[in-house]
Amino acid sequence: MSAAKRRRRKPLPLPPPADRQRFRRRLLNWYRRHGRDLPWRRTRDPYHILVSEVMLQQTQVDRVLPKYEEWLTEYPTFESLAAATPRQALRTWYPLGYNVRPKRLHAIAREVVTRYDERLPSDADRLKAFKGLGDYTVGAVRCFAFGARAPIVDTNISRLLFRMFVARGTAKDHETKRHLWALSGVLLPRRHAFDFNQALMDFGAMVCVPRTPRCGGCPMQPDCKFFASSERQQLGAARKRRTARR
Ligand code: SF4
């Protein structure tokens, strides 16, 4: 799409308050029954949360679980990680892959120890200044470790919000990405931001999955734009088949 056309496109609408409320209620109800019990959900320790979030970048939960425990046994604090060498950190990280991550984690640990008295800062600007911490990780650390009402958008959340509230074009263009962040912000409840953000991730990972979303029995179905448009397409295709047979 040309830059001129992109400029002319109407802004995507945000859902009205009643729709936001319904989405929150359905999501949190689902999470209370089906949410995963993961060790990093039982802690508010900023270092532990940071380790889990960096490990979860590009890596599935079941591969992260054993490594998370092993890593925290080896390096339980920023201080212990900072005291190790980058090579030792890399060895402990094996075989998670994307080896730039332990290097960055190690560099963050050293900076936290030397500049911040072993305490991870909680404000977005300082967190973003660390190499390797993007918008998602910063939002996740602020929300899960410091209780901030910070929105997050990862791959699972992006897919879920796109299907629910947009369902046309692609989730990958710049404008739509910005819209998905705005959606994540307006949907976030005043209370229970921790559970809500964890629920978004679980729902995208367990129900609104990439290839074949589990729409049958999905509590979001009545308001889901993707579901409504697939239904319309199926009805249209069935009508065409009937006409062709006559
Ligand atoms: Fe995802 Fe289907 Fe549920 Fe819509 S109805 S949120 S597409 S699983």
Side-chain angles (χ1 to χ4, degrees):
M1 189 190 292
S2 72
K5 271 189 184 161
R6 220 167 28 234
R7 271 198 300 276
R8 278 201 301 274
R9 208 166 90 176
K10 270 198 341 203
L12 293 162
L14 291 167
D19 292 7
R20 298 177 200 175
Q21 192 52 35
R22 234 182 358 260
F23 179 82
R24 288 179 196 126
R25 201 185 52 240
R26 285 174 179 155
L27 185 71
L28 286 169
N29 281 344
W30 175 89
Y31 182 68
R32 277 175 204 123
R33 273 180 288 133
H34 304 287
R36 292 173 288 187
D37 177 26
L38 300 169
W40 46 87
R41 291 182 179 169
R42 288 181 239 125
T43 178
R44 298 295 181 268
D45 183 312
Y47 170 66
H48 294 197
I49 303 274
L50 179 70
V51 169
S52 71
E53 288 302 334
V54 173
M55 284 187 173
L56 287 162
Q57 292 167 357
Q58 324 276 348
T59 308
Q60 301 279 339
V61 166
D62 39 349
R63 286 190 63 215
V64 167
L65 281 168
K67 189 53 73 178
Y68 173 77
E69 302 293 352
E70 186 191 331
W71 183 275
L72 291 184
T73 305
E74 190 82 22
Y75 312 116
T77 58
F78 279 119
E79 195 187 10
S80 53
L81 177 56
T85 64
R87 187 183 282 270
Q88 285 169 325
L90 185 60
R91 238 191 336 258
T92 312
W93 189 265
Y94 181 84
L96 279 189
Y98 294 98
N99 291 343
V100 71
R101 292 180 296 171
K103 286 184 199 152
R104 287 186 171 160
L105 207 43
H106 182 263
I108 292 172
R110 289 215 162 151
E111 200 173 336
V112 168
V113 168
T114 53
R115 278 185 66 188
Y116 296 110
D117 198 20
E118 293 168 35
R119 286 201 195 116
L120 189 68
S122 60
D123 68 283
D125 289 341
R126 285 202 177 127
L127 285 168
K128 271 184 200 161
F130 289 113
K131 235 185 188 161
L133 303 193
D135 289 336
Y136 164 76
T137 311
V138 167
V141 168
R142 292 185 65 233
C143 179
F144 303 144
F146 298 109
R149 206 173 148 259
I152 52 170
V153 178
D154 69 353
T155 318
N156 287 327
I157 297 174
S158 160
R159 184 176 57 253
L160 166 63
L161 297 183
F162 179 77
R163 285 175 175 162
M164 270 300 297
F165 298 104
V166 184
R168 63 190 156 94
T170 160
K172 291 193 177 138
D173 71 63
H174 181 65
E175 226 169 297
T176 310
K177 278 186 189 167
R178 276 185 39 192
H179 180 67
L180 296 175
W181 273 95
L183 270 171
S184 184
V186 297
L187 291 167
L188 201 57
R190 265 182 232 293
R191 292 165 58 221
H192 309 301
F194 183 105
D195 282 352
F196 182 83
N197 279 338
Q198 299 282 4
L200 281 176
M201 291 193 285
D202 273 6
F203 200 88
M206 297 161 72
V207 181
C208 199
V209 292
R211 272 157 218 244
T212 42
R214 298 175 183 137
C215 303
C218 169
M220 304 299 178
Q221 207 192 79
D223 289 336
C224 177
K225 291 196 170 168
F226 177 89
F227 182 76
S229 81
S230 328
E231 287 278 279
R232 276 196 302 276
Q233 276 171 20
Q234 276 171 24
L235 279 174
R239 219 171 280 135
K240 267 190 197 158
R241 278 198 301 277
R242 277 200 304 276
T243 314
R245 277 201 297 269
R246 273 181 204 145

